Amino acid sequence: MADAGVTGVVAKLGELAAAEATALLRVDAEIRALRRKLAYLQALVRGADRQRRGRASELLLLWLRETREVAFEVEDAVDEFHLRVEAFHLRRRRASWWGWGWYRDAVCLVQGLVTQIFVRHGLSNQVSKINERIDELNQNKETYQIESSPSEIWSSSSVEADPDWYEDKYVMGSRQDEFETLKNRIMNKDGNISHRAVISILGERGIGKTTLAKKLYNDPDIMKHFEVHAWVCLPPHIRFRDYVEIMYMQVSSQIPEAPGDDEFTDKELKLSQNLHNRTYLVVLDGLISNSDWNSLVDVLPDTNGSRILLTTHLNMKEISHIDPQIAPMELPYLDMKHGEQLFCQRVFGAKEPPQIYWSKGYYEKVHNISTGLPLAIAVLAGVLRSKVIPMEWDDVFEQLESNGQPKPVRSIWSLAFDDLPHYLKSCFLYFASVSENVILYPDRLVRLWIAEGFVVPKKAETLEDVGFDYLKELVSRGLVQVMEKDAGGCIKLVSIHNLLHAFMESEAQDSSFLEIHHHANVANPNAVRRLAIQNYVDAYVYIPDAFPKLRSLLCDFAEDQRSSSSFGELQPQSLWGNLAELCSRACSISENVGSNTLHGLHFLQGSRFLRVIDLNGLKMQKLPDEIGSIVHLRYLGIRNSNLEELPSSMYKLDNLQTLDVRRTNVGRTVDEFWEIEALRHVLAEKMLLPNCSVPLNNLMTLSGVVPSDLWDEKKCPLNNMIYLRSLSLSGISARHTTALSAALRKMEFLAYLNLSGEVLPSNMFTTTSMRRLQVLILYGKLEGINDLLGDRYVLPNLTILHLNKLELSQQFVDKLALLPCLAEMELSVVSFSETTMFFHDGFPSLTKMKLKEVSTIQELVIGKGAMPMLSILAMYDCDSLNTLKVLNGSEHLQEVAIYKMPGIIDNIKLEDEKLFDKIKRLTTPMMVTDRGVVPGHFVRRAGIPHEQHITVASESCFSSMEDAGPGAAKAADDIQVIV
């Protein structure tokens, strides 16, 4: 796939040709000539890329490989040029701090002239040689008669990501019979299952097993039937204790800690205790081996009435021993009727297909090629959706039917990839940098695309907006799956299917786009440009000493639970050696590997072209000071580690766009860091935010920071960050409120706001600058809230509202009722001025509401005109509340979750039987004592179903929302294993 490489280089040359720095020594003219040649070459490469799918000649493959190497040489030359120019600018900036006056200026002028002459002369020589190589490539093509026609450009219509197109509604149609059969088995409607049943869904990859399991798992009747629920995905490269950890985290969120429990108790034992004598539903998605099954089932207690739902592509014979009493359900391919329904829904949405679609019998061709495999139908529909009917449809079918492959369904992945616009190919291949069966927060993914240079700027749009448009187009083409949406309907979590992931891994490796390693050695470190290390197994990953061409380092490590003494104490004199030792430990090197076999990460010192460093799970305390010399660096992520400080050289990273040090101990960085004008996203835990004098007009996300004591209305760093989209600030006190209030009045683009402290400003409810705000989370007392009760609240786009530790009045609640788009509201640990909380009317869009530890109220009344769309109501530990009246008919109300409030349940049963039926099933928690497990003394409800159940938390109905703002405004985003 040489296309992506050439495309990126052409874009870089465009940037360089437009720069004023190329005016000397005719470098500008040579670069423009080189760009023209590469553009013509790019058209040939795209056509050759398509040809290589068939029976391509060795000469064509050789020509493609040499073309890609030339493109890489161009990239190296341009990056080397920029590196030297950046080094000069850094020296000049440091000299300006020394205050030499006219002497300093004279020295800088001489140095600048020398730099221009030598640097541009070197670039000119390199460009001339590359131009000669391109001429040689073209000559070889003619000499050896290498056939490569330019790629044909198919017209493409605007592709919109309509939510209806990625809901996988075909399950309720084509799989309706299977759905009803499995639902009856899970709920034992026939009454013939008297044991903990294991229900298996079989079928090959792409047949729809996981989609069907999700529909069952999220079914309201099934959710009410079980006390505990957990969804565990089974990636192939993960340790057993991680499976247990995933399952324990979900189960423990639904069951309170029993007295005597502590964090050192074995997770397997605690999991077994939590599930003992409880009915549970556990979904194990993606079982690939019997050994995994034998290990996991041993942890789950044999509780009568419980169910384990398996999805696997193992065959009937391989899993027949799992539960001989329950026959597995093997999913067939879709028949013509249901396959066509899925295809039409993906292509036309709710519209009626045109007459020509029926007259030409297009779906018969689709069915013959896809063989009725749902994933293949969806991906092929994604290709045809953007084509003009019928001419280009005919071309697509002709290409698929003439490829000569014995299984034409495999050619659909290649066609879908080749059909992508050039700007999407690199973005799509980037999914190969994470392991299969993982989900991604799109915010982080888009930031990485931007740092890599994949996102092309558009007028009047931020790079983040353009990146999200890219993602939506991949979704609309069926190549990326939406795993979860936020309250506003925006994409919150995404993933890709394993079949497509395998195709991408192969494509990325073959094209030298990305080197992917789990437990294999890096064969040729001198040629690696992007390196992804995915460590989920106990294997040794050899880290060479040099990666001179490396642009991106993406490492995702399973955190090692062994003691650091396995490798002895760290030696302070070699920071690079320490990092190597920690990286090797995170890569799960066998404990018998001696320290003499460890490899220092000296390649970071020699990898001058690095743009992206993203390390997740490394146990490290300090970054080396040499990090400041990697001046190309745009993305630095060190997450889930015990990193304690950032080096003072951070201020040198003039191109840094994203700093992500969440779930670390980093408390501050040098003040000069806040003068990096390229900064777009800073994400931390509790990092001190000092005063800064430079306008940071590119900064969009500021998360996990605390204010300094020196803030006032005139000296507030937020005054220089007025274009923020997302702000998460804690540690606020009375001395900060005036300055913060003034800053908020300037932030007209803010979409996500999370404030925490003793006293908070309250003007975000009334100031017109908050019109774009979609998520508002407040922890602390609001200053002057009573003064605002007479004003109109100006939050027309607010979707999610969390109020914590506030003093509320009925008048304030009535004001909130007027917000037109509010969909989710949580009132937690708040005091109320009256004994009855009455929702008279309003809240037209509210679907989820949670009350947690709301003191003083004894009665909760939802009036006839209030909350017409309410579907989930959760009440947690409201001690005085004993009466609930729902007067609006509760047509949309699906479930009521009540925790630690047994008295109100009896009252509801007496007064409103219909409402009582919506209450989640009662759970009797267990309490650990010296004599074992005995029944507890309180009752609670099972967990509230969270869409896709990434986290299932009854005690926090919307627990994941604190870090989940809409789109680019969300603060928390990283890779997680699907659970």
Tab-separated table of all heavy atoms in Angstrom, residues 338-376:
chain	number	residue	atom	x	y	z
A	338	HIS	N	-33.566	-11.616	4.320
A	338	HIS	CA	-33.044	-10.831	5.429
A	338	HIS	C	-31.739	-10.133	5.054
A	338	HIS	O	-31.446	-9.040	5.553
A	338	HIS	CB	-32.843	-11.725	6.654
A	338	HIS	CG	-34.125	-12.219	7.245
A	338	HIS	ND1	-34.457	-13.557	7.288
A	338	HIS	CD2	-35.165	-11.557	7.793
A	338	HIS	CE1	-35.640	-13.697	7.862
A	338	HIS	NE2	-36.097	-12.497	8.172
A	339	GLY	N	-30.960	-10.772	4.206
A	339	GLY	CA	-29.743	-10.118	3.734
A	339	GLY	C	-30.046	-8.854	2.958
A	339	GLY	O	-29.379	-7.827	3.098
A	340	GLU	N	-31.097	-8.907	2.126
A	340	GLU	CA	-31.472	-7.728	1.358
A	340	GLU	C	-32.005	-6.632	2.268
A	340	GLU	O	-31.786	-5.446	2.021
A	340	GLU	CB	-32.509	-8.096	0.299
A	340	GLU	CG	-32.805	-6.960	-0.658
A	340	GLU	CD	-33.520	-7.419	-1.910
A	340	GLU	OE1	-34.121	-8.517	-1.896
A	340	GLU	OE2	-33.479	-6.681	-2.907
A	341	GLN	N	-32.702	-7.000	3.324
A	341	GLN	CA	-33.171	-5.999	4.275
A	341	GLN	C	-32.001	-5.256	4.905
A	341	GLN	O	-32.013	-4.024	5.036
A	341	GLN	CB	-34.028	-6.653	5.350
A	341	GLN	CG	-35.383	-7.136	4.867
A	341	GLN	CD	-36.150	-7.871	5.945
A	341	GLN	OE1	-35.637	-8.112	7.042
A	341	GLN	NE2	-37.392	-8.235	5.643
A	342	LEU	N	-30.996	-6.006	5.312
A	342	LEU	CA	-29.809	-5.376	5.890
A	342	LEU	C	-29.112	-4.494	4.869
A	342	LEU	O	-28.731	-3.351	5.173
A	342	LEU	CB	-28.846	-6.460	6.398
A	342	LEU	CG	-27.450	-5.975	6.830
A	342	LEU	CD1	-27.562	-5.018	8.008
A	342	LEU	CD2	-26.560	-7.163	7.183
A	343	PHE	N	-28.961	-4.986	3.655
A	343	PHE	CA	-28.261	-4.229	2.617
A	343	PHE	C	-28.988	-2.920	2.305
A	343	PHE	O	-28.364	-1.847	2.244
A	343	PHE	CB	-28.156	-5.092	1.356
A	343	PHE	CG	-27.487	-4.410	0.205
A	343	PHE	CD1	-26.106	-4.248	0.174
A	343	PHE	CD2	-28.224	-3.918	-0.858
A	343	PHE	CE1	-25.483	-3.611	-0.892
A	343	PHE	CE2	-27.616	-3.281	-1.928
A	343	PHE	CZ	-26.239	-3.128	-1.943
A	344	CYS	N	-30.294	-3.001	2.119
A	344	CYS	CA	-31.062	-1.798	1.783
A	344	CYS	C	-31.034	-0.790	2.924
A	344	CYS	O	-30.957	0.426	2.705
A	344	CYS	CB	-32.500	-2.176	1.441
A	344	CYS	SG	-32.676	-3.044	-0.136
A	345	GLN	N	-31.099	-1.285	4.151
A	345	GLN	CA	-31.058	-0.373	5.292
A	345	GLN	C	-29.714	0.343	5.353
A	345	GLN	O	-29.634	1.531	5.668
A	345	GLN	CB	-31.309	-1.150	6.583
A	345	GLN	CG	-31.377	-0.289	7.831
A	345	GLN	CD	-30.300	-0.635	8.847
A	345	GLN	OE1	-29.721	-1.717	8.812
A	345	GLN	NE2	-30.034	0.282	9.733
A	346	ARG	N	-28.626	-0.362	5.030
A	346	ARG	CA	-27.288	0.240	5.067
A	346	ARG	C	-27.062	1.212	3.917
A	346	ARG	O	-26.343	2.200	4.075
A	346	ARG	CB	-26.233	-0.871	5.011
A	346	ARG	CG	-26.134	-1.708	6.265
A	346	ARG	CD	-25.352	-0.978	7.318
A	346	ARG	NE	-25.176	-1.789	8.511
A	346	ARG	CZ	-24.297	-1.513	9.465
A	346	ARG	NH1	-23.525	-0.457	9.363
A	346	ARG	NH2	-24.203	-2.269	10.528
A	347	VAL	N	-27.652	0.938	2.770
A	347	VAL	CA	-27.417	1.791	1.603
A	347	VAL	C	-28.399	2.951	1.548
A	347	VAL	O	-28.017	4.101	1.342
A	347	VAL	CB	-27.511	0.964	0.296
A	347	VAL	CG1	-27.331	1.880	-0.918
A	347	VAL	CG2	-26.450	-0.124	0.274
A	348	PHE	N	-29.675	2.662	1.725
A	348	PHE	CA	-30.710	3.667	1.498
A	348	PHE	C	-31.316	4.232	2.783
A	348	PHE	O	-32.088	5.186	2.724
A	348	PHE	CB	-31.833	3.076	0.641
A	348	PHE	CG	-31.342	2.468	-0.649
A	348	PHE	CD1	-31.360	1.095	-0.835
A	348	PHE	CD2	-30.845	3.267	-1.659
A	348	PHE	CE1	-30.907	0.530	-2.015
A	348	PHE	CE2	-30.385	2.715	-2.847
A	348	PHE	CZ	-30.418	1.337	-3.023
A	349	GLY	N	-30.995	3.630	3.936
A	349	GLY	CA	-31.595	4.099	5.164
A	349	GLY	C	-33.092	3.856	5.152
A	349	GLY	O	-33.572	2.765	4.829
A	350	ALA	N	-33.857	4.884	5.481
A	350	ALA	CA	-35.312	4.754	5.518
A	350	ALA	C	-35.952	4.997	4.152
A	350	ALA	O	-37.164	4.834	4.004
A	350	ALA	CB	-35.889	5.730	6.540
A	351	LYS	N	-35.144	5.358	3.156
A	351	LYS	CA	-35.691	5.649	1.837
A	351	LYS	C	-35.995	4.362	1.070
A	351	LYS	O	-35.366	3.333	1.277
A	351	LYS	CB	-34.712	6.507	1.033
A	351	LYS	CG	-34.404	7.862	1.664
A	351	LYS	CD	-33.387	8.619	0.827
A	351	LYS	CE	-33.046	9.962	1.461
A	351	LYS	NZ	-32.017	10.707	0.672
A	352	GLU	N	-36.924	4.469	0.156
A	352	GLU	CA	-37.259	3.345	-0.711
A	352	GLU	C	-36.209	3.235	-1.815
A	352	GLU	O	-35.848	4.232	-2.448
A	352	GLU	CB	-38.648	3.551	-1.332
A	352	GLU	CG	-39.124	2.415	-2.196
A	352	GLU	CD	-39.470	1.172	-1.380
A	352	GLU	OE1	-39.700	1.314	-0.152
A	352	GLU	OE2	-39.511	0.082	-1.975
A	353	PRO	N	-35.666	2.028	-2.078
A	353	PRO	CA	-34.684	1.876	-3.165
A	353	PRO	C	-35.282	2.298	-4.501
A	353	PRO	O	-36.475	2.097	-4.746
A	353	PRO	CB	-34.362	0.376	-3.149
A	353	PRO	CG	-34.717	-0.069	-1.775
A	353	PRO	CD	-35.876	0.777	-1.350
A	354	PRO	N	-34.486	2.877	-5.385
A	354	PRO	CA	-35.003	3.292	-6.700
A	354	PRO	C	-35.396	2.086	-7.542
A	354	PRO	O	-34.938	0.967	-7.302
A	354	PRO	CB	-33.824	4.051	-7.311
A	354	PRO	CG	-32.619	3.517	-6.617
A	354	PRO	CD	-33.049	3.189	-5.233
A	355	GLN	N	-36.195	2.319	-8.555
A	355	GLN	CA	-36.719	1.237	-9.381
A	355	GLN	C	-35.599	0.476	-10.080
A	355	GLN	O	-35.672	-0.748	-10.251
A	355	GLN	CB	-37.697	1.807	-10.415
A	355	GLN	CG	-38.343	0.742	-11.290
A	355	GLN	CD	-39.118	-0.290	-10.476
A	355	GLN	OE1	-39.772	0.064	-9.491
A	355	GLN	NE2	-39.027	-1.557	-10.863
A	356	ILE	N	-34.551	1.188	-10.479
A	356	ILE	CA	-33.466	0.528	-11.201
A	356	ILE	C	-32.767	-0.509	-10.334
A	356	ILE	O	-32.209	-1.481	-10.831
A	356	ILE	CB	-32.457	1.560	-11.750
A	356	ILE	CG1	-31.570	0.908	-12.804
A	356	ILE	CG2	-31.632	2.175	-10.617
A	356	ILE	CD1	-30.721	1.902	-13.567
A	357	TYR	N	-32.797	-0.302	-9.012
A	357	TYR	CA	-32.205	-1.293	-8.106
A	357	TYR	C	-32.928	-2.631	-8.246
A	357	TYR	O	-32.308	-3.702	-8.276
A	357	TYR	CB	-32.283	-0.777	-6.664
A	357	TYR	CG	-31.992	-1.831	-5.626
A	357	TYR	CD1	-30.688	-2.198	-5.338
A	357	TYR	CD2	-33.023	-2.477	-4.944
A	357	TYR	CE1	-30.411	-3.179	-4.386
A	357	TYR	CE2	-32.768	-3.446	-4.001
A	357	TYR	CZ	-31.453	-3.796	-3.725
A	357	TYR	OH	-31.188	-4.770	-2.795
A	358	TRP	N	-34.258	-2.573	-8.323
A	358	TRP	CA	-35.026	-3.813	-8.429
A	358	TRP	C	-34.894	-4.415	-9.826
A	358	TRP	O	-34.753	-5.638	-9.969
A	358	TRP	CB	-36.508	-3.544	-8.126
A	358	TRP	CG	-36.741	-2.937	-6.788
A	358	TRP	CD1	-37.098	-1.644	-6.525
A	358	TRP	CD2	-36.610	-3.581	-5.514
A	358	TRP	NE1	-37.206	-1.439	-5.171
A	358	TRP	CE2	-36.916	-2.614	-4.518
A	358	TRP	CE3	-36.269	-4.871	-5.118
A	358	TRP	CZ2	-36.895	-2.887	-3.166
A	358	TRP	CZ3	-36.248	-5.155	-3.760
A	358	TRP	CH2	-36.553	-4.182	-2.805
A	359	SER	N	-34.927	-3.556	-10.849
A	359	SER	CA	-34.929	-4.080	-12.220
A	359	SER	C	-33.625	-4.761	-12.591
A	359	SER	O	-33.606	-5.693	-13.396
A	359	SER	CB	-35.230	-2.946	-13.208
A	359	SER	OG	-34.223	-1.942	-13.136
A	360	LYS	N	-32.511	-4.315	-12.010
A	360	LYS	CA	-31.223	-4.914	-12.338
A	360	LYS	C	-30.853	-6.073	-11.422
A	360	LYS	O	-29.824	-6.711	-11.632
A	360	LYS	CB	-30.118	-3.847	-12.280
A	360	LYS	CG	-30.122	-2.906	-13.471
A	360	LYS	CD	-28.714	-2.408	-13.740
A	360	LYS	CE	-28.626	-1.697	-15.064
A	360	LYS	NZ	-27.223	-1.412	-15.453
A	361	GLY	N	-31.670	-6.329	-10.436
A	361	GLY	CA	-31.389	-7.457	-9.550
A	361	GLY	C	-30.044	-7.362	-8.864
A	361	GLY	O	-29.280	-8.333	-8.801
A	362	TYR	N	-29.746	-6.184	-8.324
A	362	TYR	CA	-28.424	-5.968	-7.729
A	362	TYR	C	-28.181	-6.867	-6.519
A	362	TYR	O	-27.064	-7.351	-6.314
A	362	TYR	CB	-28.261	-4.500	-7.327
A	362	TYR	CG	-27.873	-3.595	-8.460
A	362	TYR	CD1	-28.656	-2.490	-8.785
A	362	TYR	CD2	-26.730	-3.833	-9.211
A	362	TYR	CE1	-28.307	-1.644	-9.831
A	362	TYR	CE2	-26.375	-2.999	-10.248
A	362	TYR	CZ	-27.164	-1.914	-10.566
A	362	TYR	OH	-26.814	-1.089	-11.596
A	363	TYR	N	-29.222	-7.084	-5.698
A	363	TYR	CA	-28.923	-7.820	-4.475
A	363	TYR	C	-28.537	-9.262	-4.750
A	363	TYR	O	-27.793	-9.867	-3.968
A	363	TYR	CB	-30.082	-7.788	-3.473
A	363	TYR	CG	-29.649	-8.491	-2.207
A	363	TYR	CD1	-28.696	-7.896	-1.384
A	363	TYR	CD2	-30.073	-9.772	-1.897
A	363	TYR	CE1	-28.220	-8.540	-0.265
A	363	TYR	CE2	-29.601	-10.430	-0.779
A	363	TYR	CZ	-28.677	-9.807	0.033
A	363	TYR	OH	-28.184	-10.444	1.138
A	364	GLU	N	-29.002	-9.844	-5.827
A	364	GLU	CA	-28.585	-11.217	-6.143
A	364	GLU	C	-27.070	-11.285	-6.306
A	364	GLU	O	-26.418	-12.240	-5.861
A	364	GLU	CB	-29.280	-11.680	-7.418
A	364	GLU	CG	-28.996	-13.144	-7.743
A	364	GLU	CD	-29.766	-13.623	-8.952
A	364	GLU	OE1	-30.658	-12.880	-9.432
A	364	GLU	OE2	-29.483	-14.743	-9.418
A	365	LYS	N	-26.498	-10.242	-6.919
A	365	LYS	CA	-25.042	-10.186	-7.049
A	365	LYS	C	-24.387	-10.002	-5.675
A	365	LYS	O	-23.359	-10.620	-5.380
A	365	LYS	CB	-24.645	-9.046	-7.972
A	365	LYS	CG	-25.143	-9.205	-9.405
A	365	LYS	CD	-24.710	-8.026	-10.266
A	365	LYS	CE	-25.203	-8.182	-11.694
A	365	LYS	NZ	-24.774	-7.046	-12.547
A	366	VAL	N	-24.985	-9.127	-4.845
A	366	VAL	CA	-24.453	-8.924	-3.497
A	366	VAL	C	-24.453	-10.238	-2.725
A	366	VAL	O	-23.466	-10.591	-2.060
A	366	VAL	CB	-25.285	-7.865	-2.741
A	366	VAL	CG1	-24.863	-7.784	-1.279
A	366	VAL	CG2	-25.139	-6.497	-3.392
A	367	HIS	N	-25.536	-10.984	-2.814
A	367	HIS	CA	-25.648	-12.235	-2.063
A	367	HIS	C	-24.636	-13.269	-2.554
A	367	HIS	O	-24.038	-13.995	-1.739
A	367	HIS	CB	-27.073	-12.779	-2.192
A	367	HIS	CG	-27.340	-13.951	-1.293
A	367	HIS	ND1	-27.588	-13.808	0.053
A	367	HIS	CD2	-27.375	-15.288	-1.542
A	367	HIS	CE1	-27.772	-14.999	0.600
A	367	HIS	NE2	-27.650	-15.910	-0.354
A	368	ASN	N	-24.428	-13.342	-3.851
A	368	ASN	CA	-23.465	-14.308	-4.392
A	368	ASN	C	-22.049	-13.991	-3.941
A	368	ASN	O	-21.249	-14.897	-3.686
A	368	ASN	CB	-23.542	-14.325	-5.911
A	368	ASN	CG	-24.849	-14.902	-6.429
A	368	ASN	OD1	-25.512	-15.680	-5.725
A	368	ASN	ND2	-25.236	-14.528	-7.640
A	369	ILE	N	-21.737	-12.706	-3.834
A	369	ILE	CA	-20.377	-12.315	-3.441
A	369	ILE	C	-20.184	-12.425	-1.936
A	369	ILE	O	-19.164	-12.927	-1.454
A	369	ILE	CB	-20.095	-10.873	-3.917
A	369	ILE	CG1	-20.080	-10.817	-5.439
A	369	ILE	CG2	-18.766	-10.370	-3.349
A	369	ILE	CD1	-20.058	-9.407	-5.998
A	370	SER	N	-21.188	-11.977	-1.173
A	370	SER	CA	-21.060	-11.964	0.288
A	370	SER	C	-21.406	-13.302	0.917
A	370	SER	O	-21.089	-13.519	2.100
A	370	SER	CB	-21.974	-10.884	0.884
A	370	SER	OG	-23.341	-11.228	0.684
A	371	THR	N	-22.072	-14.164	0.171
A	371	THR	CA	-22.560	-15.467	0.652
A	371	THR	C	-23.496	-15.328	1.848
A	371	THR	O	-23.699	-16.287	2.591
A	371	THR	CB	-21.396	-16.417	1.017
A	371	THR	OG1	-20.680	-15.884	2.144
A	371	THR	CG2	-20.451	-16.612	-0.157
A	372	GLY	N	-24.034	-14.124	2.067
A	372	GLY	CA	-24.949	-13.924	3.188
A	372	GLY	C	-24.274	-13.627	4.504
A	372	GLY	O	-24.933	-13.643	5.554
A	373	LEU	N	-22.970	-13.336	4.492
A	373	LEU	CA	-22.251	-12.983	5.718
A	373	LEU	C	-22.589	-11.540	6.083
A	373	LEU	O	-22.312	-10.615	5.299
A	373	LEU	CB	-20.742	-13.143	5.519
A	373	LEU	CG	-19.872	-12.970	6.753
A	373	LEU	CD1	-20.060	-14.140	7.716
A	373	LEU	CD2	-18.394	-12.834	6.369
A	374	PRO	N	-23.189	-11.283	7.251
A	374	PRO	CA	-23.640	-9.923	7.584
A	374	PRO	C	-22.547	-8.868	7.503
A	374	PRO	O	-22.786	-7.768	7.001
A	374	PRO	CB	-24.168	-10.084	9.014
A	374	PRO	CG	-24.596	-11.509	9.107
A	374	PRO	CD	-23.612	-12.270	8.267
A	375	LEU	N	-21.349	-9.168	8.000
A	375	LEU	CA	-20.281	-8.173	7.958
A	375	LEU	C	-19.922	-7.829	6.521
A	375	LEU	O	-19.708	-6.663	6.186
A	375	LEU	CB	-19.050	-8.697	8.698
A	375	LEU	CG	-17.841	-7.762	8.705
A	375	LEU	CD1	-18.148	-6.478	9.466
A	375	LEU	CD2	-16.615	-8.451	9.316
A	376	ALA	N	-19.848	-8.830	5.654
A	376	ALA	CA	-19.514	-8.580	4.250
A	376	ALA	C	-20.606	-7.742	3.578
A	376	ALA	O	-20.307	-6.843	2.775
A	376	ALA	CB	-19.331	-9.904	3.515
